[in-house]
């Protein structure tokens, strides 16, 4: 509420508030500061300046770096003057100093909330400008019951274009800092504006409720008894004597008492000094008894001021109650949002845990695979070393055999007995030659059986690509939608099904399914993104079960619970102008399409708005107008019946045509079974369509007209009638079928 109690100009609690014609308020001192002497050029400059600063904010001089109250106690009008054309002259001298005391007191009182009740954001930002399109002609009145101070108001746009001239007697003008309306005053200026008594009382009560505390007490601050206007500090009696003695430079400071509780006031007429007891409803202003007796109020409607006040308080209380309900619902909505925020936090924490677990599982899988690959490398190493050792062992054995042969041959060469040497010489020569040959083949040209290099390559490209592409996707199908029974309905032969989307799920669409009305198989009747669907063309007197499911790219969710919807037992319908041929048919419909007539002599067919394929249905026609040379036809027809022929002339219709004396049944231009008894104005024709027995019967004036007219009727049939000039019919539907004792 504190924002409502602050002046838009000085940003402090209102001090001596006055009410502008546009019902915005200003401190009296602020109003004196921003009013300007009226001259045509100055007014145009003021309006242009106000329009230029209108988008910047509502505070006069706000954001310009100019304070509304200077620290030396003098009011700085720099910002205000900028908004009203560069002049801050008031109606008399000393206005700046006078407003200083009010502003200082208001500033001190505003700190009753601990000087911290207004945040820094509020201190540094202006309120959004308020514009009123309907508020073009406001009235400013003085403290008296006679509006002597009001000179007139002009539209700002017209003033900027030079099309508005101030009314005679205008001496001062003022631009409202909120709505930018320009108001003219006489020589009294803004001092003749009415005191905003309600605002003044509310501010006083606010200040009293917020118990101003001493700002110099070290602990447990006491209630302040004085405020220094220059220091803008509150003191209790003890701290004032200690911290602000009335001597030296401080002796010139002004100490005032804090604003106290609101006192009971009684408004009096400024002209007659009499209590304001009446309220003129024409002038919309309070008046005293003498004012009511004067000429200007003699023809006006007058009411007791207490009665008017009570009525307006009642209306305001009612409006406040409605606004309070909206505020309460908004508070509940905010609580829901807060609850959703908590759920979002919980859901994100749980999801983080799942992602962490999944990533840890992937890391563990990589570790396991690493151990497998390292083990494969170790096995390859062991195999190669074993092969190399076998090859080394073979080469070592061959070398030992060759070395032994060489040593044996050397010893044989030392033999001196030629016969003894020749005994083994040839054999040794062959062994050495064969060994030399096999050595060359097995040793000299031999190569290691395995490579010392590991000839394996780790293929990690696919895995690295998969890790790079690791991301979130819709991992599950949506959950089950919830059908809203309160929003579901059945009317005539149509049903409406509404449902609520599943929470915390991405849904691309819904599938609505209905059974056949007899507990049979379900069939799809709707697929789309809407959450409500109406299905027409169902059977009457049938119970339909409905269910719905949601789907997305991941799949389909579960079906919702079933809801049963009962169609009407009897049908309510009217003629359908569109099905009957539209505007060019020549038919004239009235009484909400229940009555039909035609101008031409040729027969024209009118169809009902519903078709029947199951159940027993009965409707009647009242003959509103009838001439002797016409024979209207009544019955049923298929949707593609010929509409420019008598009913029954083609194979798509089944009818009874009747005149004053007799009737015939007609189908496909074959008429038969003449029945005596005709119609006149006021007669009724009943049509009984029994699709359980697949028959069609007629009644005239509630009596059967012959036996069953037609049998073996299968398919969809619409109520139909054909008439020509001189006949007017009214159809009556939603009737109970009569009991027929023959079939």
């Amino acid at each position: 509420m504190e924002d409502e109690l602050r002046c838009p100009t000085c940003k402090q609690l209102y001090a001596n508030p006055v009410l502008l014609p546009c019902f915005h308020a200003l401190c009296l001192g602020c109003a004196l500061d921003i009013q300007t002497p009226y001259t045509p050029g100055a007014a145009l400059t003021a309006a242009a300046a106000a329009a230029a600063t209108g988008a910047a904010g509502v505070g006069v001089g706000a954001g310009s770096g100019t304070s509304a109250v200077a620290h030396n106690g003098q009011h700085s009008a720099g910002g205000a003057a900028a908004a009203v054309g560069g002049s801050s002259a008031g109606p008399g001298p000393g206005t700046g100093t006078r407003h200083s005391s009010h502003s200082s007191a208001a500033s001190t009182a505003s700190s009753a909330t601990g000087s911290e009740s207004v945040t820094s954001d509020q201190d540094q930002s202006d309120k959004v400008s308020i514009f009123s399109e309907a508020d073009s002609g406001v009235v400013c009145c003085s403290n008296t019951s006679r509006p002597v101070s009001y000179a007139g108001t002009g539209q700002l746009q017209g003033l900027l274009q030079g099309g508005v001239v101030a009314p005679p007697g205008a001496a001062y003008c003022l631009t409202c800092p909120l709505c930018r309306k320009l108001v003219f005053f006489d020589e009294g200026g803004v001092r003749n504006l009415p005191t905003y008594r309600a605002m003044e009382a509310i501010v006083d009560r606010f200040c009293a409720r917020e118990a101003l505390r001493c700002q110099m007490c070290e602990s447990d601050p006491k209630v302040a008894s004085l405020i220094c206007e220059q220091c803008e500090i509150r003191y209790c009696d003890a701290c004032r004597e200690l911290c602000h003695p009335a001597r030296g430079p401080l002796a010139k400071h002004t100490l005032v008492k804090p604003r106290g509780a609101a006192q009971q006031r009684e408004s009096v007429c400024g002209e007659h000094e009499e209590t304001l007891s009446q309220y003129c409803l024409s002038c919309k202003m309070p008046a005293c008894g003498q004012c009511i007796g004067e000429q200007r109020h003699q023809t006006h409607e007058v009411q007791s001021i207490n009665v008017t006040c009570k009525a307006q308080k009642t209306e305001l209380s009612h409006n406040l109650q409605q606004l309070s309900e909206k505020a309460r619902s908004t508070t509940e909505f905010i609580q829901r949002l807060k609850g959703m925020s908590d759920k979002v936090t919980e859901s994100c924490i749980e999801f983080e845990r799942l992602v962490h677990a999944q990533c840890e599982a992937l890391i563990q899988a990589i570790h396991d695979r690493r151990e497998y690959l390292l083990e494969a490398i170790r096995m390859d190493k062991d195999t190669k070393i074993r092969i190399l050792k076998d090859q080394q062992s073979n080469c070592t054995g061959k070398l030992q055999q060759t070395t032994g042969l060489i040593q044996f041959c050397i010893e044989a060469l030392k033999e001196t007995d030629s016969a003894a040497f020749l005994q083994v010489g040839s054999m040794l020569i062959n062994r050495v030659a064969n060994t030399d040959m096999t050595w060359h083949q097995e040793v000299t040209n031999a190569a290691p059986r395995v490579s010392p290099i590991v000839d394996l390559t780790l293929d990690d490209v696919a895995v690295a690509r998969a890790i790079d592409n690791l991301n979130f996707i819709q991992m599950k199908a949506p959950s089950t939608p919830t059908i809203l029974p309160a929003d579901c309905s059945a009317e005539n032969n149509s049903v409406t099904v509404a449902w609520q989307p599943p929470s915390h799920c991405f849904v691309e669409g819904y599938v609505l399914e209905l059974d056949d009305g007899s507990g049979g198989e379900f069939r799809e009747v709707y697929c789309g993104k809407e959450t409500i669907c109406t299905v027409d063309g169902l059977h009457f007197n049938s119970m339909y079960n409905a269910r719905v499911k949601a789907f997305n790219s991941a799949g389909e969710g579960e079906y919702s619970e079933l809801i049963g919807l009962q169609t009407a037992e009897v049908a309510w319908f009217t003629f359908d102008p569109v099905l009957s041929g539209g505007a060019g048919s020549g038919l004239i419909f009235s009484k909400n399409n229940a009555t039909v007539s035609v101008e031409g002599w040729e027969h024209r067919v009118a169809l009902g708005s519903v078709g029947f394929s199951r159940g027993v249905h009965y409707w009647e026609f009242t003959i509103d107008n009838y001439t002797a040379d016409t024979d209207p036809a009544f019955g049923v027809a298929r949707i593609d019946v010929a509409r420019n022929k008598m009913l029954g002339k083609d194979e798509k219709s089944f009818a009874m045509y009747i005149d004053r004396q007799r009737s015939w049944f007609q189908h496909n231009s074959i008429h038969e079974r003449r029945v005596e008894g005709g119609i006149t104005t006021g007669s009724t024709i009943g049509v009984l369509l029994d699709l359980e027995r697949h028959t069609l019967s007629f009644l005239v004036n509630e009596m059967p007209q012959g036996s069953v007219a037609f049998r073996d009727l299968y398919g969809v049939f619409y109520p139909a009638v054909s008439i020509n000039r001189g006949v007017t019919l009214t159809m009556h539907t939603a009737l109970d079928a009569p009991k027929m004792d023959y079939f």
Side-chain angles (χ1 to χ4, degrees):
M1 184 184 73
E2 188 173 344
D3 288 341
E4 296 285 338
L5 307 182
R6 292 187 177 276
C7 174
T9 300
C10 63
K11 304 300 182 184
Q12 306 299 327
L13 293 179
Y14 284 106
N16 296 330
V18 292
L19 188 63
L20 295 176
C22 55
F23 295 102
H24 293 134
L26 285 174
C27 297
L28 177 59
C30 294
L32 290 170
D33 288 340
I34 66 176
Q35 77 170 355
T36 58
Y38 170 71
T39 59
L44 184 60
T45 304
T53 59
V58 300
V60 177
S64 62
T66 305
S67 174
V69 180
H71 289 291
N72 61 2
Q74 298 298 321
H75 184 77
S76 174
V84 296
S87 174
S88 61
T95 58
T97 304
R98 178 167 52 255
H99 184 223
S100 172
S101 62
H102 293 304
S103 299
S104 178
S107 174
T108 308
S110 69
S111 60
T113 59
S115 71
E116 298 81 7
S117 60
V118 181
T119 64
S120 60
D121 291 339
Q122 292 171 328
D123 292 335
Q124 296 174 3
S125 63
D126 294 327
K127 304 297 183 293
V128 178
S129 298
I130 302 175
F131 297 92
S132 174
E133 295 295 338
D135 207 58
S136 59
V138 293
V139 176
C140 174
C141 59
S142 67
N143 290 331
T144 68
S145 60
R146 191 188 304 270
V148 295
S149 66
Y150 174 65
T153 61
Q155 290 288 355
L156 180 60
Q157 184 67 23
L159 183 64
L160 292 176
Q161 297 174 352
V164 173
V165 179
Y172 293 94
C173 62
L174 178 146
T175 301
C176 175
L178 287 174
C179 63
R180 306 300 174 188
K181 293 191 182 301
L182 188 63
V183 187
F184 297 94
F185 302 95
D186 59 11
E187 291 82 357
V190 297
R191 289 188 177 278
N192 288 324
L193 285 171
T195 300
Y196 200 165
R197 298 183 182 277
M199 178 65 74
E200 190 174 23
I202 294 173
V203 171
D204 286 345
R205 287 197 298 269
F206 178 79
C207 294
R209 185 171 65 246
E210 296 297 332
L212 302 180
R213 298 287 177 177
C214 175
Q215 294 176 290
M216 302 304 294
C217 292
E218 294 183 358
S219 61
D220 191 16
K222 300 178 182 178
V223 176
S225 58
L226 292 172
I227 300 172
C228 177
E229 291 187 351
Q230 287 71 29
C231 300
E232 296 186 359
I233 297 177
R234 302 186 301 275
Y235 302 95
C236 62
D237 291 335
C239 292
R240 183 189 62 80
E241 292 293 337
L242 180 64
C243 304
H244 199 287
R247 57 182 179 272
L250 299 179
K252 297 181 179 180
H253 287 196
T254 304
L255 298 175
V256 297
K257 291 185 177 182
R259 300 173 67 175
Q263 299 177 354
Q264 295 293 332
R265 303 179 180 87
E266 188 177 44
S267 300
V268 296
C269 176
E271 183 178 359
H272 302 106
E273 297 297 330
E274 184 179 334
T275 302
L276 297 172
S277 60
Q278 303 295 323
Y279 188 81
C280 179
L281 299 178
S282 300
C283 300
K284 297 187 181 302
M285 59 183 298
C288 65
Q290 296 186 43
C291 293
I292 298 301
E294 293 180 355
Q295 180 69 29
R296 66 177 182 274
H297 293 297
Q298 286 183 354
T299 60
H300 293 177
E301 184 179 357
V302 180
Q303 194 176 48
S304 170
I305 193 170
N306 293 331
V307 173
T308 305
C309 181
K310 183 178 180 180
Q312 291 194 8
K313 284 185 176 181
T314 301
E315 182 179 1
L316 179 59
S317 299
H318 177 70
N319 294 339
L320 283 176
Q321 184 177 4
Q322 293 180 336
L323 185 60
S324 178
E325 288 296 324
K326 292 183 175 62
R328 183 182 61 80
S329 61
T330 303
T331 302
E332 294 176 354
F333 180 68
I334 292 173
Q335 294 300 324
R336 286 175 53 197
L337 293 179
K338 290 181 179 179
M340 290 181 64
S341 299
D342 296 338
K343 290 182 179 180
V344 168
T345 301
E346 295 174 0
S347 176
C348 288
I349 292 175
E350 176 64 18
F351 196 61
E352 287 177 1
R353 187 188 64 78
L354 293 176
V355 171
H356 180 75
Q358 287 179 305
C359 291
E360 289 295 328
L362 292 175
I363 293 172
Q364 184 61 41
I366 291 177
H367 285 316
D368 294 342
R369 193 64 181 174
R370 180 187 64 184
E371 293 302 322
Y372 171 80
L373 295 174
L374 293 177
E375 181 63 23
I377 294 173
R378 286 192 289 267
M379 292 176 62
D380 183 69
K381 179 192 71 172
D382 294 341
T383 301
K384 287 185 175 183
I385 290 176
R386 185 174 62 254
I387 293 174
L388 291 174
K389 285 184 177 180
D390 291 342
Q391 189 176 10
Q392 178 183 353
S393 177
N394 293 334
C395 291
T396 300
K398 185 68 174 178
L399 180 60
Q400 289 176 351
Q401 293 176 1
T402 303
T403 303
L405 178 61
I406 293 173
Q407 291 178 352
F408 181 79
C409 290
I410 292 174
E411 292 298 328
L413 289 175
K414 294 179 180 179
E415 180 61 46
T416 57
D417 186 356
S418 299
F421 177 79
L422 291 174
Q423 185 180 9
V424 296
S426 299
M427 180 272 294
L428 292 176
I429 293 172
N430 290 332
R431 281 189 65 187
V432 171
N434 291 333
T435 301
D436 180 62
M437 183 179 298
T438 57
W439 182 270
H440 177 73
Q441 294 175 352
E442 296 179 6
V443 180
T444 304
N445 294 333
R449 297 176 184 175
V450 294
S451 172
I453 305 301
V454 178
D455 52 356
L456 298 175
T457 301
L458 182 61
D459 184 12
D460 62 348
V461 176
V463 177
R465 185 182 299 111
I467 293 175
D468 289 339
N469 294 331
L470 186 63
N471 207 335
F472 298 107
I473 61 172
Q474 181 67 34
M475 295 178 291
K476 57 184 179 180
S479 55
T480 305
T482 303
I483 291 183
L484 304 174
D487 296 332
C488 298
S489 62
E491 181 178 357
N492 231 11
N493 65 334
S494 65
V495 297
T496 299
V497 184
W499 58 90
Q500 182 177 352
S503 58
H504 309 295
C505 292
F506 172 69
V507 177
E508 292 182 0
Y510 303 92
V511 174
L512 175 65
E513 296 181 355
L514 264 66
D515 64 3
D516 60 357
S518 301
E521 294 184 357
F522 283 86
R523 59 188 176 90
E524 180 180 319
V525 296
Y526 171 75
C527 180
K529 296 183 178 181
E530 299 298 329
T531 57
I532 186 171
C533 178
T534 298
V535 184
D536 299 318
L538 303 176
H539 298 300
F540 286 89
N541 195 22
S542 300
M543 173 64 74
Y544 284 90
N545 292 314
R547 65 185 184 182
V548 65
K549 63 181 177 181
F551 65 87
N552 57 22
S553 56
E556 296 180 344
E558 298 293 331
Y559 284 105
S560 65
E561 295 183 358
L562 296 180
I563 184 172
L565 298 170
Q566 174 75 43
T567 55
E569 295 184 6
V570 293
W572 178 91
F573 56 92
T574 62
F575 289 112
D576 192 321
V578 177
L579 292 180
S580 302
S585 65
L587 296 169
I588 302 173
F589 298 96
S590 59
K591 297 181 181 179
N592 295 325
N593 296 330
T595 300
V596 63
S597 61
V598 69
E599 296 180 350
W601 289 103
E602 297 294 331
H603 275 265
R604 292 291 182 267
V605 174
L607 295 180
S609 57
V610 297
F612 303 108
S613 61
R614 190 168 68 180
V616 180
H617 308 282
Y618 178 73
W619 60 95
E620 291 182 348
F621 298 95
T622 300
I623 311 299
D624 299 328
N625 187 40
Y626 178 72
T627 57
D629 53 354
T630 58
D631 44 3
F634 307 87
V636 296
R638 301 191 186 277
I639 191 67
D640 54 349
V641 65
R643 291 167 174 76
N644 57 353
K645 298 179 181 180
M646 175 188 284
L647 199 67
K649 286 291 186 180
D650 64 355
E651 62 179 5
K652 305 294 184 180
S653 56
F654 303 81
M656 176 192 74
Y657 69 91
I658 188 169
D659 58 17
R660 286 183 178 275
Q661 299 178 349
R662 62 193 67 82
S663 65
W664 290 266
F665 302 139
Q666 180 173 242
H667 169 62
N668 199 18
S669 294
I670 299 175
H671 58 101
E672 56 184 359
R673 286 186 286 172
R674 168 177 165 173
V675 180
E676 297 299 325
I679 58 173
T680 60
T681 300
S683 297
T684 60
I685 304 296
V687 181
L688 177 61
L689 178 63
D690 188 343
L691 291 176
E692 293 180 356
R693 295 180 173 86
H694 308 286
T695 62
L696 179 65
S697 305
F698 298 94
L699 296 87
V700 176
N701 295 325
E702 300 182 355
M703 296 298 295
Q705 187 76 354
S707 60
V708 174
F710 301 98
R711 298 180 184 273
D712 299 326
L713 300 181
Y714 293 90
V716 180
F717 298 94
Y718 287 80
V721 63
S722 67
I723 59 175
N724 55 0
R725 187 170 184 176
V727 178
T728 302
L729 305 174
T730 298
M731 183 164 57
H732 307 278
T733 61
L735 304 176
D736 293 330
K739 301 297 183 180
M740 305 294 287
D741 56 359
Y742 64 91
F743 285 103

